[in-house]
Amino acid sequence: MKVSKRAQDVPPSATIAVTTRAQELKAQGVDVVGFGAGAPDFDTPEYIKEAAIEALKAGQTKYTAAAGIIELRKAIADKLERENGLKYAPEQIIVNIGGKHSVYEAMQAVLDPGDEVILPTPYWVTYPETIKLAGAVSRIVQTKKENGYKITTAQLKKAITKKTAMLLINSPNNPGGFTYTPEELKAIARVLEGTNVYVMSDEIYEKLIYGDTKFVSFASLSEDAYNRTLTLNGFSKTFSMTGWRLGYTAGPLDVIKAMGRLQSHMTSNAVTFGQYAAIAALGPPADEAIEKMRAEFERRGKYMTQRLNSIEGVECTEATGAFYCFPDVSGHYGRNIGGATINGSMDFAKALLEQANVALVPGLPFGCDNNVRLSFACSLEQITKGLDRIEKWLAQ
Ligand code: PMP
Ligand code: GLU
């Protein structure tokens, strides 16, 4: 039987594919070190689980408004005002079924066939596919290592055409682990003034920042930025709630209403008792729970960066955010390692998994074939073991 052209054109998520493959090998008894996962390895904090259990016991098991219960939308509005300096009415907020759904639905709500979306590399693997599914076209901007893999204002100006409908900003970045400074974002915002370009600001890693890195919400930069920005966020990374599937979008009322109409047909509401747990998540114990995880990620990220940089032919900038190292490994391209010719990140990742049992994600599906992504959302012990293996494998 036939499969639609649309579906045929979409490859599986490379990040999920690597994680699944590593899990399969583990189940077969292979001692794999998995650096693939884009998910915190901590359990969801107890106070959040308790709130879900209480909601279940209280009978919160039925449909809610498709866009989410008003109490949660208010709690998100309070959070955005308190922490991000953003004033949104609850009606300007929609609760989605995970941040991935926020990305998909927001694109469906604002993009038309032929529209262009400026997508700086490295980008999360899901963006180009969701752009394509909306009938739009990715205008990929290749960033430079010397610019910290961030888009410059000159590159942005050059990339804007009459068809540009959106700019994608993901800071802290997956897979790059970098964060735009407030000044860099302000400069980008100024370039967009006078255009009709939306900004999709994916802020899902906002709480995972390291050293003296400062996070700022794009929409808070100016009134102009506020009016053009879709602020996307979720509970997966901050609260280690990847399996709960809870994300949200805040933005111009018309767009959020359009998303609500789509959602009323596509999925309806996010899981009801999960929404009650999300209210609790944003409550007072949040800071302490988040800090514990953040501090641990910072420690691991530092260690991983230092170990990677000590390997010849590997160059890694220390992550300022998220939980990924994205080293340039192209120093090893052209080599034959253990019988495999390494001509790019796909070869690198495949040979490393087969020969040394370390799973990482090739940079190619993120738009950077010189790099590979290693997640440090795993124990220091695993990081040490995995890096020992990589070091030994490359030293052959
Ligand atoms: N945005 C980015 C940049 C991500 O890395 C992810 C995936 N972890 C998401 C959005 C979506 O996460 P989720 O669907 O779990 O909320
Ligand atoms: N976003 C995470 C990652 O990049 C989780 C997997 C996915 O949804 O793509 O690994």
Side-chain angles (χ1 to χ4, degrees):
M1 297 297 283
K2 91 175 175 106
V3 166
S4 71
K5 174 91 179 45
R6 190 188 315 112
Q8 282 180 43
D9 282 350
V10 175
S13 159
T15 50
I16 293 183
V18 170
T19 315
T20 310
R21 182 75 190 122
Q23 280 163 354
E24 275 167 13
L25 287 170
K26 270 186 201 159
Q28 288 164 19
V30 183
D31 176 24
V32 174
V33 176
F35 290 140
D41 53 322
F42 305 103
D43 196 2
T44 301
E46 212 48 43
Y47 76 99
I48 303 174
K49 290 204 243 177
E50 287 298 333
I53 293 165
E54 263 173 45
L56 265 174
K57 285 188 178 155
Q60 300 297 358
T61 57
K62 303 289 196 297
Y63 292 136
T64 71
I69 53 175
I70 194 69
E71 296 91 322
L72 175 54
R73 294 160 85 191
K74 277 188 181 144
I76 294 168
D78 287 348
K79 176 258 181 245
L80 289 170
E81 181 163 8
R82 194 174 64 236
E83 297 181 353
N84 307 83
L86 291 169
K87 257 190 183 312
Y88 287 110
E91 295 72 29
Q92 286 178 274
I93 293 164
I94 182 164
V95 180
N96 311 116
I97 326 301
K100 190 173 284 190
H101 183 221
S102 309
V103 172
Y104 181 81
E105 194 172 272
M107 291 198 181
Q108 290 288 326
V110 302
L111 297 177
D112 280 309
D115 281 351
E116 289 180 3
V117 178
I118 299 176
L119 186 57
T121 61
Y123 45 76
W124 179 39
V125 293
T126 287
Y127 301 139
E129 306 311 327
T130 42
I131 291 166
K132 196 158 72 187
L133 286 167
V137 178
S138 294
R139 187 164 172 117
I140 292 169
V141 175
Q142 207 70 47
T143 61
K144 296 207 170 87
K145 186 161 49 175
E146 54 269 32
N147 296 328
Y149 295 103
K150 301 181 215 181
I151 190 170
T152 63
T153 50
Q155 283 181 312
L156 176 59
K157 279 180 200 161
K158 222 173 129 196
I160 297 174
T161 70
K162 282 198 184 108
K163 292 185 179 163
T164 308
M166 181 186 279
L167 163 69
L168 224 147
I169 293 285
N170 169 219
S171 172
N173 177 273
N174 174 10
F178 60 76
T179 312
Y180 282 82
T181 65
E183 290 67 33
E184 286 165 341
L185 291 178
K186 272 183 208 154
I188 288 173
R190 277 196 295 272
V191 172
L192 297 178
E193 282 172 16
T195 69
N196 290 323
V197 178
Y198 278 109
V199 171
M200 177 175 282
S201 181
D202 184 341
E203 304 184 354
I204 201 155
Y205 294 100
E206 67 164 334
K207 295 291 182 189
L208 302 177
I209 49 172
Y210 312 118
D212 52 11
T213 305
K214 286 193 176 57
F215 173 80
V216 62
S217 280
F218 196 89
S220 72
L221 295 172
S222 65
E223 198 183 330
D224 181 273
Y226 177 86
N227 290 332
R228 68 174 69 251
T229 301
L230 306 174
T231 302
L232 270 58
N233 208 327
F235 293 80
S236 284
K237 316 290 173 177
T238 302
F239 298 102
S240 197
M241 291 173 72
T242 49
W244 296 64
R245 313 310 304 131
L246 283 162
Y248 57 89
T249 310
L253 187 59
D254 284 356
V255 176
I256 301 302
K257 275 189 179 167
M259 289 176 71
R261 290 197 297 276
L262 294 171
Q263 187 156 315
S264 75
H265 293 293
M266 258 195 254
T267 58
S268 287
N269 59 279
V271 170
T272 301
F273 49 88
Q275 292 188 57
Y276 285 91
I279 298 174
L282 295 170
D287 288 351
E288 202 186 322
I290 296 166
E291 178 52 22
K292 246 193 232 155
M293 297 192 255
R294 193 210 61 82
E296 180 57 22
F297 283 136
E298 180 158 25
R299 199 161 76 95
R300 297 172 184 178
K302 270 208 169 87
Y303 175 71
M304 186 182 262
T305 310
Q306 173 237 314
R307 284 289 310 267
L308 284 166
N309 280 323
S310 72
I311 303 174
E312 215 179 298
V314 177
E315 233 183 280
C316 183
T317 314
E318 189 167 320
T320 53
F323 36 62
Y324 307 107
C325 279
F326 196 56
D328 183 326
V329 295
S330 63
H332 291 277
Y333 292 178
R335 285 188 59 199
N336 182 299
I337 307 180
T341 307
I342 311 297
N343 275 333
S345 62
M346 303 298 278
D347 293 341
F348 187 99
K350 187 166 179 278
L352 179 66
L353 181 59
E354 278 168 7
Q355 298 177 27
N357 295 334
V358 176
L360 46 67
V361 191
L364 187 65
F366 300 109
C368 291
D369 198 26
N370 283 347
N371 303 63
V372 291
R373 187 189 85 173
L374 292 85
S375 158
F376 47 86
C378 56
S379 70
L380 212 47
E381 194 194 337
Q382 283 290 300
I383 295 175
T384 308
K385 188 165 153 184
L387 285 161
D388 286 349
R389 288 184 187 178
I390 296 176
E391 193 167 41
K392 202 165 148 215
W393 181 67
L394 286 174
Q396 287 175 68

